[in-house]
Structure formats: structure tokens, C-alpha cells
Amino acid sequence: QVQLVESGGGLVQAGGSLRLSCTASGRTFNTYTMGWFRQAPGREREFVAAISWNGISTYYADSVKGRFSISRENSKNTVYLRINSLKPEDTAVYCCAASSDRQAIVVLTSSYYYWGQGTQVTVSS
């Protein structure tokens, strides 16, 4: 069993930055592919970014490339999402997720077994 807890969300003005954190329980964090997804009101959950178990490979949705950066510290059981140049359309609940499949198709929600509750990011214009 893996529990994921996100933090770092908040209310930010457009153009600002945030760093979201997701901390996992358990001793197997360093074997999981980790992903970030977001869901805005009235919209489906969408893939944002993912990182391989060893941190070597990263993946981003086209809509966030260049502004979002995913990283991880396996020694702290934590994955991060740095968001720069925030836009009002980035407003959403951001959730992290864990997959034990190293060959996972990272953009699919079905690839992930464990999910956090999410942290709200609100960007004002």
C-alpha cells in the first residue's frame, strides 16, 4: 500500500510560480513511475508530467512544456512539480499518482494504481 500526499498549492497571480510536492509512504517509492495530473472544474483529468523511477526520463504534456518541471528525490520519497509563468488556465486540482509498471504509458490515468487527494492551484489574472 502506498499513500500519496500532495502539498504546495495555493492562490497565485498570473506569471507567478509554485512548487508542488508529493510525498509517498512506504519503502518502494524508488521503484515507481510517478505522474502529475490535473483536473479543472467541468473538465476531465488530464496528464501533466511524469518521471521514471530513477529520474532519468521525464515526460510532459505539450501544453505545459517549457513551464513545468518534474523532479524527484527518492531519498525523501518525494516528487516535485515546479510550475513557472502560471496562467489562469492552469487553475485546477493537481494530483500525483504512482505506477509500479516501468513500461507504463505515462499519459494514461489507467496506468497508475495509487493516487493522492490533490492540491488546489488557483491562478488569478
Side-chain angles (χ1 to χ4, degrees):
Q1 185 77 10
V2 175
Q3 291 186 323
L4 304 174
V5 179
E6 301 93 338
S7 62
L11 174 62
V12 184
Q13 286 190 329
S17 298
L18 280 175
R19 189 180 77 161
L20 308 183
S21 300
C22 170
T23 301
S25 63
R27 296 178 291 178
T28 58
F29 175 79
N30 60 2
T31 67
Y32 286 94
T33 296
M34 299 298 297
W36 283 97
F37 289 75
R38 67 184 180 184
Q39 188 167 18
R43 301 187 66 176
E44 292 188 355
R45 182 174 289 179
E46 66 171 343
F47 170 76
V48 173
I51 189 167
S52 61
W53 62 276
N54 56 8
I56 291 177
S57 299
T58 57
Y59 313 86
Y60 297 95
D62 288 343
S63 59
V64 306
K65 281 181 181 177
R67 296 192 299 121
F68 287 33
S69 178
I70 189 171
S71 60
R72 66 190 298 161
E73 283 190 82
N74 286 344
S75 62
K76 295 184 178 181
N77 278 16
T78 301
V79 61
Y80 305 99
L81 185 69
R82 176 74 179 182
I83 310 175
N84 296 322
S85 303
L86 277 156
K87 304 176 181 180
E89 51 263 43
D90 293 321
T91 295
V93 174
Y94 286 71
C95 295
C96 65
S99 172
S100 59
D101 181 3
R102 295 186 179 184
Q103 304 300 320
I105 301 174
V106 298
V107 301
L108 299 179
T109 58
S110 58
S111 294
Y112 299 86
Y113 190 77
Y114 300 106
W115 291 83
Q117 292 296 310
T119 185
Q120 176 72 46
V121 173
T122 303
V123 185
S124 63
S125 58

